[in-house]
Amino acid sequence: MTGGVVDDVPGGRSPALATVLPAFARCAERTADVELADVLPQEVQLLGLAGSRERAQSVTVRRCAQEAVAALGASCGVLPRRASGEPGWPPGLVGSLTHCAGYRGAAVARARDALSLGIDAEPHEALSPGLLGLVASPEEAAALRSAPRGVHGDRVLFCAKEAAYKAWWPLTRRWLGMLHVEAELRGEAFTVRVPDASDGEPARLHGRWAVHDGRVLAAVTVPAP
């Protein structure tokens, strides 16, 4: 594991999330939530949100989704929340949302280009004590010792597996735990293997990661056949 660090470029830059996505995908990101006064009644109704903090966060990440869809040359209203918690994307589009402290992001692609997308953002800091054993196998943990200096490989591994799950779920509707998969980080790319994948399910999920502005960003794309 020897890369994945993106330098901060001030002013007029493309979304940092674009560095981990394929060229056919579009994305948008924000570092501040919309004001509650700007939240539309239909957004509250569709999302069914009660708490003001959750409301602002969910609306903001969906505003990112609308911006990403517009960058793709399409349009959409407020993305509804399905019973499973995932957003309901317009027909012909696939996408993913993510949020962490001080960051909201969305990525989208046309279904003709990708079967699914999964993105994740996490603070670039070490996992809390005891959490690594719930995320990584002993072999994965040992491999993290080769992480570049200044990179929290344990957090990158966590982020990669989260992105993989977000790409996996829309295709299979099957839950995956952190220790149900095996991740290998190679430079700024990674592969997540699903040992018990069934016929028609992707046995390997490929993605890219980067560290930018104190956050780890990861994206997995399952290309269309």
Side-chain angles (χ1 to χ4, degrees):
M1 185 168 60
T2 59
V5 178
V6 178
D7 292 331
D8 186 13
V9 181
R13 66 190 181 199
S14 298
L17 194 54
T19 63
V20 296
L21 288 165
F24 57 72
R26 296 293 181 269
C27 60
E29 57 191 12
R30 295 189 182 203
T31 56
D33 284 333
V34 298
E35 297 293 334
L36 288 177
D38 296 330
V39 176
L40 304 175
Q42 57 265 40
E43 292 175 314
V44 177
Q45 182 178 5
L46 278 172
L47 299 178
L49 303 171
S52 59
R53 179 178 177 183
E54 182 187 15
R55 183 180 301 172
Q57 174 179 286
S58 296
V59 168
T60 300
V61 78
R62 280 165 169 78
R63 296 278 180 90
C64 289
Q66 291 173 325
E67 293 165 7
V69 169
L72 201 62
S75 62
C76 70
V78 182
L79 296 182
R81 176 180 287 183
R82 292 177 174 167
S84 59
E86 66 184 305
W89 295 95
L93 300 181
V94 297
S96 183
L97 307 177
T98 188
H99 56 79
C100 67
Y103 183 87
R104 316 286 183 244
V108 65
R110 296 190 183 279
R112 68 180 183 229
D113 295 319
L115 295 179
S116 69
L117 288 177
I119 62 172
D120 193 56
E122 301 287 339
H124 184 226
E125 56 191 36
L127 295 175
S128 58
L131 187 56
L132 182 60
L134 302 177
V135 173
S137 67
E139 293 77 15
E140 289 172 321
L144 294 178
R145 298 182 189 129
S146 63
R149 186 173 182 176
V151 172
H152 296 291
D154 54 350
R155 185 67 69 168
V156 175
L157 186 76
F158 180 92
C159 197
K161 289 189 176 186
E162 279 287 308
Y165 175 70
K166 290 182 179 181
W168 166 270
W169 170 258
L171 298 177
T172 67
R173 302 291 165 181
R174 188 156 70 91
W175 182 80
L176 285 179
M178 287 280 177
L179 295 178
H180 292 163
V181 298
E182 301 167 357
E184 179 185 1
L185 307 176
R186 304 181 316 280
E188 58 192 26
F190 63 86
T191 298
V192 176
R193 188 171 75 89
V194 185
D196 61 345
S198 303
D199 289 343
E201 296 180 344
R204 284 178 171 79
L205 300 161
H206 303 283
R208 297 176 66 83
W209 66 275
V211 175
H212 190 275
D213 283 352
R215 303 179 193 93
V216 182
L217 302 173
V220 167
T221 306
V222 180

